[in-house]
Amino acid sequence: MLGTITVALHAQVAPDPQIIEQLLELDLDQLLDLDVTSAARKPQKLAETASAVYIITQDDIRRSGVINIPEALRLAPGVQVARIGADKWAITIRGFNGRFSNKLLVLMDGRSVYDPLYSGVFWNAQDYVLEDIERIEIVRGPGAALWGANAVNGVINIITKPAEQTQGMLVTTYAGTEDRGGLAARYGGRWGEDTAYRVYAKGFEREASTTLTGQDANDAWRSGQVGFRVDSRLSAEEQFTVQGDMHWDVAGDLAALYRLSPPYGFQLHDDWTMREYNLLTRYRRRTGTTDNTLQLYYSDSFKGTDADVKFDVRTFDLDWQQQLLSTGRHDWLWGLGYRWLQHSYNGEPYAMLQPEKTDWQLFSGFAQDEIELTPQWFLTLGAKLEHNDTTGWEFQPSARLLWSLAPTESLWAATSRAVRTPSRAEMGIIANYQVFPPLSPGNPGELPMQVRFFGDPAIESETVIAYEAGWRRQWDNQLSTDLALFWNDYDQLRSVTPGAPFLEFAPIPHLVLPFTLNNTLSGHTYGLEMAVDWRPHKNWRLQGSYSYLRMSIDDSGSTEGSSPRHQFSLLSSLTLSPRAELSTWLRLVDELPALGIPAYTSLDARLAWSPLPDLTFSLVGQNLLDDRHPEFNADAEGQVLGEIERNIYLKALWRF
């Protein structure tokens, strides 16, 4: 985790923002020469990485026209992004998609945002000034040997720019049909020659989405965030970073709930508030023999609803790693970590957790050796050992082999083991769900029957053994391709087992049909992911991707049918003149048969004009091919989910 951030404090003079923008428009040679930090927890050239890695650069984000992080992830091959309302997304890699996709680890500047209560990510809370994001690194496939549990199918690492690169004032604002309005301001300055800083604030409002029946989904979304970052060079060998953010959301849900008396089913209009804050510090000391990084962060997340559902998650994390330099053919990296988590949850009368408040601790250590077998062959062996308070010891090894055919071509293969540890909800939840009225299909008796889910304190971790291979080649200075193949064997996947109905007398006599969470499923997935970057002209760039996914899980197809089998994306970026750009982005997504979601095609377009070097106006249209379409419609919490509507907005960006 500590090696994910490259703190660039070498320049003594604040660079011109326009020069930075030009540097971000990389050619193919520069793209393959980019340092990737998430695949090996240290800087590594993309061409020398034995993993399926894709980088979304700041230039990609700008040209795509997106205004939030989840939508930017659609640019990467193999990432399945489905918007399920104004403020909700289902995002995963290599299958198992859901509101809380539990096999994907997400980091923000090295800080884990994976929620241990639900086993997933609240994507509405992952926000930043988009212009200050340096890049998003996406590692498809297990990353548990370095990052630990829950990095089962991939790792997404959102990396912001060092404060040195965000000097001066930046203001962006937009107004549109669905994204009603937004404003962000950032100022960067210096304290002496060796310390740079920035502060920012942003806020926005989005219109509520529309349900399948044309009803307002009650998920209008207002959000705000403030934050800062300070990077300081303490000496020629030492660097120090401190950064923090405060975030708040106000939105709503339209939930389908049930009661034990007629009419049994009803809709609850529920509003909620979410608050998060975090503080992170990082100290790095690099000498001629070692590169040490010590990172510490604390975060607190609270969510409360008008229906008295409240939860709070506090996290303290300490992480240290050391890279041994100048060790001949071996490149050793190792580290230790400690994490403390405190959760509290109260969702009565709809759900409750036992116990209501819990403290968890996690101890971990990892080691990795990258061995130069010959000048063309490289073998990387690594493993992470963890001890947690839920499933005890977890061992997650990996082996990766790279064959460098040429400076512009490489083949790689890997095998890894990873685990997904149970969430708090899976271990202790008691949740009432559907009610079958008396004498109805599914309930021939004269008493109402309520479905109730029970967590299992003895539930085990899900496991995967993954086999991967890839081929990466730059054909010339205009064309590059990247192909990855994978086969994943899963075991102890989450399942539910029905029990014998039993009688309850309060609040009225009724039957309870219990379902208990456990680990009885297994199966496998396989597929391929391909990315093509083609520059047919110096002013025209085409970025295409295709992914194919097959799943065979012994759960009657409900898991397989929640992720698209085929996905295609093509982003065309055309520089019309030094002051004008035109981008169009076409996406084809296959059907989700388990959820009743048909295949859809989406088209976005962005026209940008810069009347002055520091002032840019953009007109963006999203989902231009239809009024609205559904992308996902299943949710474990019973929310009625919305469809994605056409959105047009005008954005202005001013640097001074």
Side-chain angles (χ1 to χ4, degrees), residues 166-406:
T166 54
Q167 297 293 286
M169 191 77 188
L170 177 145
V171 177
T172 67
T173 184
Y174 63 81
T177 56
E178 295 300 315
D179 289 301
R180 301 302 298 274
L183 176 64
R186 175 260 290 158
Y187 178 74
R190 306 187 64 84
W191 292 317
E193 293 186 349
D194 296 324
T195 300
Y197 68 90
R198 69 167 174 262
V199 295
Y200 74 89
K202 67 174 297 185
F204 63 83
E205 179 177 0
R206 181 171 170 97
E207 185 80 356
S209 60
T210 303
T211 69
L212 181 63
T213 59
Q215 184 181 5
D216 187 316
N218 190 44
D219 58 355
W221 180 25
R222 286 179 289 128
S223 180
Q225 182 162 316
V226 297
F228 73 96
R229 173 166 174 162
V230 179
D231 295 315
S232 181
R233 184 170 59 186
L234 305 178
S235 68
E237 298 177 340
E238 299 171 296
Q239 298 170 349
F240 181 73
T241 294
V242 57
Q243 62 188 88
D245 312 279
M246 294 182 63
H247 176 95
W248 63 94
D249 271 359
V250 178
D253 283 322
L254 182 61
L257 298 178
Y258 299 88
R259 59 166 63 101
L260 293 169
S261 56
Y264 299 103
F266 68 100
Q267 287 189 334
L268 174 69
H269 291 251
D270 191 20
D271 295 326
W272 55 263
T273 301
M274 188 171 191
R275 298 190 299 271
E276 288 196 352
Y277 65 87
N278 65 80
L279 182 66
L280 180 148
T281 63
R282 184 182 311 107
Y283 169 77
R284 182 182 181 189
R285 184 171 188 267
R286 182 183 176 95
T287 66
T289 57
T290 62
D291 187 349
N292 291 273
T293 309
L294 177 66
Q295 178 174 283
L296 182 152
Y297 70 79
Y298 176 81
S299 63
D300 192 322
S301 173
F302 168 82
K303 183 176 181 180
T305 76
D306 290 347
D308 288 333
V309 176
K310 296 181 173 63
F311 69 79
D312 194 351
V313 179
R314 297 184 174 91
T315 304
F316 170 81
D317 187 277
L318 177 65
D319 199 306
W320 169 75
Q321 77 170 38
Q322 181 181 73
Q323 181 183 2
L324 303 181
L325 307 174
S326 303
T327 53
R329 293 187 171 184
H330 294 266
D331 188 350
W332 279 97
L333 181 72
W334 66 290
L336 300 170
Y338 169 75
R339 181 173 297 172
W340 168 82
L341 294 159
Q342 184 181 76
H343 326 124
S344 62
Y345 179 89
N346 188 337
E348 294 187 84
Y350 311 106
M352 60 180 294
L353 282 184
Q354 291 182 337
E356 182 177 321
K357 186 175 182 179
T358 301
D359 287 11
W360 282 354
Q361 294 188 88
L362 172 69
F363 300 88
S364 65
F366 77 92
Q368 174 183 273
D369 186 15
E370 183 180 320
I371 308 164
E372 182 182 348
L373 302 175
T374 71
Q376 289 79 37
W377 288 87
F378 299 86
L379 175 64
T380 302
L381 302 174
K384 186 154 191 171
L385 183 65
E386 296 182 343
H387 184 274
N388 62 68
D389 288 343
T390 57
T391 61
W393 292 101
E394 300 286 1
F395 182 62
Q396 299 171 97
S398 78
R400 298 182 180 275
L401 184 64
L402 177 77
W403 181 19
S404 180
L405 300 166

